[in-house]
Amino acid sequence: MGRITLDKVTKSFGETQVIPPLDLTIDDGEFTVFVGPSGCGKSTLLRLIAGLEDTTSGEIRIDGTDATNVPPAKRGLAMVFQSYALYPHMSVRKNIAFPLRMAKMDQAEIERRVEGAASVLNLSDYIERKPGQLSGGQRQRVAIGRAIVREPSAFLFDEPLSNLDAALRVGMRLEISELHKRLETTMIYVTHDQVEAMTMADKIVVLRAGHIEQVGSPLELYRAPRNLFVAGFIGSPKMNFVSGEEAGKHNAHTIGVRPEHITVSESEGRWRGVVGVAEHLGSDTFFHIHQTGLAETITVRADGEVGFNHGDTIYLTPRDEVIHRFDQDGLRIA
Ligand SMILES: Nc1ncnc2c1ncn2[C@@H]1O[C@H](COP(=O)(O)OP(=O)(O)OP(=O)(O)O)[C@@H](O)[C@H]1O
Ligand SMILES: [Mg+2]
């Protein structure tokens, strides 16, 4: 079991309140991702759940039981950090076994759990190696192994992949997703990488200044962001925002158009502009277009074969049925 409920939880450091009253429920077995800009309180929230920080007020319940004042080791949760300090002089086996040995668990049970974790994480072939003889990804897996053997009711990950190179991140992202499907344990995962959030989450919690802006599945947030902040945060490249006369035509203060919802043409279209930068990624091309009279830059995601270059005149047509409309307060118009 691993249902976690936060009820009017707040956190202040001295005079500064970094988490205003916050309510959140994470269901058993759910993969929840906290996203938001740097300093928005993601790590603080995770540390409150873990018990590494005391709440200033409010209640945290784990499986219905008040855990607000329960020490971290007794909460049945396991945290995996960004910097996964492994013991360099210990083998993989000993590193993974370490928390169980500290808990004075029976040796046979330790063996069973360590073998199980190593197998789940494809570490069996490296189990006698020292951390210095492992790749970054393998080391990260050892750190996760140390969490798995505790058989927690939930895993808490704080940017566990941010030290890894891009290719390894993608690989580990898939591994953690697969691990979640195999273990079916609640996971809370902090990242500021919205691609990680979109690809891994059952539920995304978008935070800004300690406050929840929106909670929903990745596609709910993509299709119906509640406000301009969420609209700009979810999706890559970012949604384009246009105000003024053009937005007025849609009875909105601001309209939002995702780069992938604009078609390009060399001869006709609703908007006209000049290509500033064309980023050719192979599979896609991102055009950054100026002089449209709509916004400083309009970004378009086009097929990789589309061959416009810097300085070319280009015509753009947004797909009306997926235009997002926002009022003067930046809130979505239904
Ligand atoms: N121990 C502390 N004392 C005072 N302020 C703190 C402390 N820990 C965090 N803060 C402040 O609380 C706010 C939230 O910090 P937190 O580390 O939770 O952000 P974050 O969303 O995890 O950011 P990042 O993406 O950079 O890791 C920040 O303004 C930070 O400066
Ligand atoms: Mg953080």
Side-chain angles (χ1 to χ4, degrees):
M1 288 287 282
R3 180 182 161 92
I4 297 168
T5 312
L6 279 70
D7 193 358
K8 299 189 186 61
V9 166
T10 73
K11 179 66 184 175
S12 300
F13 291 106
E15 300 280 283
T16 318
Q17 187 176 58
V18 297
I19 309 282
L22 182 144
D23 293 321
L24 178 67
T25 297
I26 293 159
D27 285 320
D28 183 36
E30 204 166 52
F31 198 123
T32 298
V33 174
F34 294 167
V35 286
S38 185
C40 72
K42 303 179 294 296
S43 297
T44 303
L45 203 52
L46 202 68
R47 292 169 61 80
L48 289 169
I49 293 170
L52 300 171
E53 296 282 0
D54 293 332
T55 56
T56 304
S57 65
E59 189 174 288
I60 296 175
R61 289 189 295 277
I62 300 173
D63 292 327
T65 308
D66 183 0
T68 318
N69 298 309
V70 174
K74 297 244 158 67
R75 293 194 185 192
L77 311 174
M79 188 129 171
V80 180
F81 296 93
Q82 173 179 340
S83 52
Y84 38 89
L86 301 178
Y87 298 101
H89 58 287
M90 286 186 197
S91 64
V92 167
R93 180 192 296 283
K94 290 203 166 134
N95 265 287
I96 295 178
F98 190 76
L100 306 184
R101 286 186 29 223
M102 293 308 285
K104 306 216 178 343
M105 189 178 276
D106 168 71
Q107 189 57 37
E109 179 62 11
I110 294 181
E111 285 300 313
R112 189 187 69 77
R113 292 194 185 191
V114 171
E115 297 289 341
S119 152
V120 160
L121 293 165
N122 295 323
L123 283 170
S124 303
D125 293 344
Y126 312 101
I127 197 145
E128 304 307 339
R129 287 204 201 167
K130 302 265 168 66
Q133 300 166 303
L134 299 175
S135 72
Q138 288 161 348
R139 267 181 248 163
Q140 183 57 267
R141 276 187 259 155
V142 177
I144 296 172
R146 261 197 323 214
I148 289 180
V149 288
R150 295 174 50 202
E151 300 187 349
S153 57
F155 291 91
L156 312 180
F157 292 97
D158 194 353
E159 310 229 15
L161 308 184
S162 52
N163 287 341
L164 305 178
D165 69 42
L168 209 48
R169 279 182 83 114
V170 176
M172 281 305 295
R173 192 170 87 200
L174 286 170
E175 285 186 24
I176 293 174
S177 293
E178 280 179 17
L179 185 67
H180 177 250
K181 296 210 170 13
R182 251 177 278 149
L183 300 177
E184 295 179 334
T185 307
T186 307
M187 293 189 176
I188 309 178
Y189 188 100
V190 166
T191 181
H192 55 245
D193 179 336
Q194 64 90 33
V195 177
E196 274 176 26
M198 290 298 283
T199 53
M200 299 173 92
D202 295 317
K203 180 155 99 187
I204 297 180
V205 178
V206 183
L207 292 160
R208 173 167 60 164
H211 166 88
I212 296 180
E213 292 284 323
Q214 192 167 358
V215 177
S217 72
L219 287 180
E220 278 165 5
L221 300 196
Y222 177 84
R223 290 183 183 140
R226 183 187 287 166
N227 56 37
L228 287 173
F229 179 80
V230 177
F233 200 80
I234 299 290
S236 176
K238 254 169 72 93
M239 187 186 282
N240 297 290
F241 294 118
V242 175
S243 299
E245 195 185 328
E246 185 65 27
K249 291 180 194 165
H250 298 265
N251 295 326
H253 181 271
T254 305
I255 56 169
V257 189
R258 295 203 181 276
E260 56 273 38
H261 294 155
I262 299 174
T263 53
V264 296
S265 160
E266 59 182 335
S267 55
E268 57 189 341
R270 195 177 311 163
W271 302 331
R272 193 176 86 131
V274 176
V275 175
V277 175
E279 297 175 293
H280 297 281
L281 297 161
S283 56
D284 303 291
T285 305
F286 299 156
F287 294 111
H288 302 278
I289 297 159
H290 305 308
Q291 299 171 40
T292 56
L294 301 165
E296 194 171 311
T297 305
I298 295 285
T299 303
V300 177
R301 176 180 200 153
D303 194 275
E305 305 303 316
V306 177
F308 292 94
N309 286 300
H310 173 77
D312 290 349
T313 294
I314 191 169
Y315 291 85
L316 311 177
T317 306
R319 274 173 52 196
D320 282 326
E321 71 279 15
V322 281
I323 285 181
H324 302 260
R325 302 182 310 135
F326 301 94
D327 66 16
Q328 67 227 34
D329 299 319
L331 298 176
R332 181 179 194 81
I333 302 170

